Amino acid sequence: ILEAPKPRGEPMMKRWKEAQSEGKQLRYKFKINVASGKCRCRLEAVDNSDSLFRLRENENLVAFETSRYTTSPLIVKGAAAGPDLSASGMFSDLLRLGRAFVGSQS
């Protein structure tokens, strides 16, 4: 069971308490829209119908919504590598994606 977040300021605690009172969990969501060439990352309150709701503290989840997976995304879930390794891996992936995107614009 995930514990309450460590104090990181009143605005974050307010968001966490609001989510908890609605039966939701705060999760970071990163979305890539290939068609528009845009991506976003934000903290969202998710309900129990969202795949991210059941994540444990040491897990990651990637959901692929493609032309083959339109009604139900392909879910890849597993153990997380820890915050430092995850952050460096994500940064590396973002750099690789940026290079691929810039290369496709030429």
Side-chain angles (χ1 to χ4, degrees):
I1 295 176
L2 293 177
E3 297 176 12
K6 295 178 178 80
R8 290 189 166 84
E10 192 57 35
M12 182 58 79
M13 286 303 295
K14 182 179 178 196
R15 287 185 72 181
W16 182 78
K17 287 176 183 176
E18 286 174 2
Q20 292 290 301
S21 72
E22 297 171 0
K24 296 181 178 182
Q25 298 288 335
L26 290 180
R27 298 290 188 256
Y28 283 101
K29 275 192 172 182
F30 183 78
K31 292 187 178 189
I32 300 172
N33 185 321
V34 176
S36 70
K38 296 184 179 187
C39 62
R40 73 172 188 211
C41 182
R42 65 182 181 185
L43 187 63
E44 292 185 17
V46 298
D47 63 25
N48 65 357
S49 67
D50 192 301
S51 304
L52 294 173
F53 182 85
R54 290 173 199 68
L55 275 184
R56 291 187 213 128
E57 190 173 306
N58 62 344
E59 293 180 322
N60 287 324
L61 181 143
V62 178
F64 296 92
E65 293 180 11
T66 68
S67 59
R68 292 181 187 250
Y69 298 98
T70 55
T71 58
S72 180
L74 172 65
I75 304 288
V76 179
K77 179 181 165 190
D84 294 338
L85 188 56
S86 295
S88 65
M90 289 174 63
F91 185 67
S92 173
D93 291 345
L94 287 171
L95 288 174
R96 203 172 301 120
L97 280 169
R99 286 188 201 116
F101 181 74
V102 168
S104 72
Q105 301 300 307
S106 302

